[in-house]
């Protein structure tokens, strides 16, 4: 199970951001990669949403702001969290998943095979011809920056694996980033003066 997040040092001088990957979608359950696709949560995903919602509710975040991407799997995950925490979720299309070009809807097995054949270790536009990590990172950062400017307090963004990794790379290309952010996982980060104040912490849902 997930453990309680750290409160951090000098929290009053920083912004605490929780990045949540949406829970299992129907496409995930069927073993298909999904970028711009919009399948709903699976039965398992709805159970995951209850678990991550309980975890976040236990963190004592107060009157936090929660924003979901415009895709159904993120909206449903955020709704469960908002209900558990007494918040009202909003949506921002800029934190949606990256478009994955010709790889959209391929099986995970086929994706892994194509990556191995081309000897690449991560998805990017050079491989799939869709949105690059850099392009996705800029729109996600734009949304996050506006949310931080709109008010004080903690922020929870319910987004997607490719989008979260893109944002982390933009903030610090040298930071150690989880190679895999699973459904319902939480990444905690602290932002100060537009940059990471410390290395992000990864909290897998099943840990």
């Amino acid at each position: 199970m997930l453990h309680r997040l750290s409160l951090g040092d000098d929290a009053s001088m920083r912004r605490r951001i929780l990045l949540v990957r949406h829970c299992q979608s129907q496409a995930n359950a069927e073993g298909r990669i999904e970028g711009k696709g919009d399948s709903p949560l699976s039965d398992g995903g709805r159970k995951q949403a209850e678990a991550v919602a309980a975890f976040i509710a236990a963190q004592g975040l107060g009157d936090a702001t929660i924003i979901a991407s415009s895709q159904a799997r993120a909206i449903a995950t955020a709704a469960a969290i908002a209900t558990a925490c007494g918040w009202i979720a909003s949506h921002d299309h800029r934190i949606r998943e990256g478009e994955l070009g010709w790889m959209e809807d391929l099986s995970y097995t086929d994706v892994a095979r194509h990556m191995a054949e081309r000897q690449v270790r991560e998805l990017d536009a050079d491989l799939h011809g869709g949105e690059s990590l850099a392009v996705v990172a800029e729109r996600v950062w734009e949304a996050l920056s506006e949310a931080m400017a709109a008010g004080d307090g903690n922020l929870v963004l319910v987004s997607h694996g490719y989008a979260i990794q893109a944002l982390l790379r933009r903030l610090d290309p040298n930071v150690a980033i989880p190679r895999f952010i699973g459904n319902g996982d939480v990444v905690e980060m602290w932002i100060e003066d537009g940059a990471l104040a410390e290395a992000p912490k990864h909290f897998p849902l099943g840990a």
Side-chain angles (χ1 to χ4, degrees):
M1 59 184 294
L2 290 167
H3 301 288
R4 189 173 179 85
L5 302 175
S6 65
L7 293 178
D9 299 323
D10 300 320
S12 62
M13 308 234 357
R14 304 172 179 181
R15 294 299 296 276
R16 186 185 187 189
I17 317 293
L18 301 187
L19 306 173
V20 183
R21 185 186 173 198
H22 65 84
C23 295
Q24 186 189 66
S25 69
Q26 190 60 43
N28 295 151
E30 294 170 1
R32 295 182 287 110
I33 196 168
E34 185 174 40
K36 65 182 179 181
D38 202 24
S39 70
L41 292 185
S42 66
D43 290 343
R46 287 188 286 274
K47 292 178 181 176
Q48 289 178 341
E50 292 177 0
V52 74
F55 165 67
I56 291 177
Q59 305 310 312
L61 297 179
D63 190 19
T65 298
I66 181 168
I67 305 172
S69 88
S70 54
Q71 291 170 288
R73 53 199 187 272
I75 291 172
T77 302
I81 296 169
T83 297
C85 297
W87 304 332
I88 297 175
S90 61
H91 309 138
D92 192 319
H93 72 283
R94 291 172 295 182
I95 66 171
R96 70 190 183 278
E97 184 61 298
E99 296 186 11
L100 301 175
W102 61 268
M103 283 192 153
E104 291 277 355
D105 212 38
L106 286 184
S107 70
Y108 294 140
T109 300
D110 283 343
V111 170
R113 177 173 57 81
H114 286 297
M115 292 177 71
E117 288 173 352
R118 291 162 176 77
Q119 298 182 338
V120 297
R121 293 177 57 82
E122 67 180 12
L123 292 176
D124 208 340
D126 289 344
L127 175 62
H128 54 64
E131 284 187 290
S132 69
L133 287 164
V135 167
V136 174
E138 285 307 311
R139 60 172 166 79
V140 176
W141 175 246
E142 180 181 77
L144 177 56
S145 297
E146 287 183 15
M148 289 191 292
D152 298 327
N154 300 307
L155 285 168
V156 179
L157 265 60
V158 183
S159 187
H160 305 262
Y162 189 77
I164 291 171
Q165 294 216 352
L167 174 64
L168 294 174
R169 282 170 169 76
R170 183 202 181 281
L171 289 168
D172 186 348
N174 299 314
V175 73
I177 297 172
R179 290 214 51 82
F180 179 72
I181 299 172
N183 293 125
D185 286 6
V186 176
V187 176
E188 178 192 37
M189 65 180 187
W190 294 85
I191 298 291
E192 186 173 18
D193 296 329
L196 286 174
E198 58 185 71
K201 297 177 182 176
H202 180 209
F203 298 86
L205 179 61

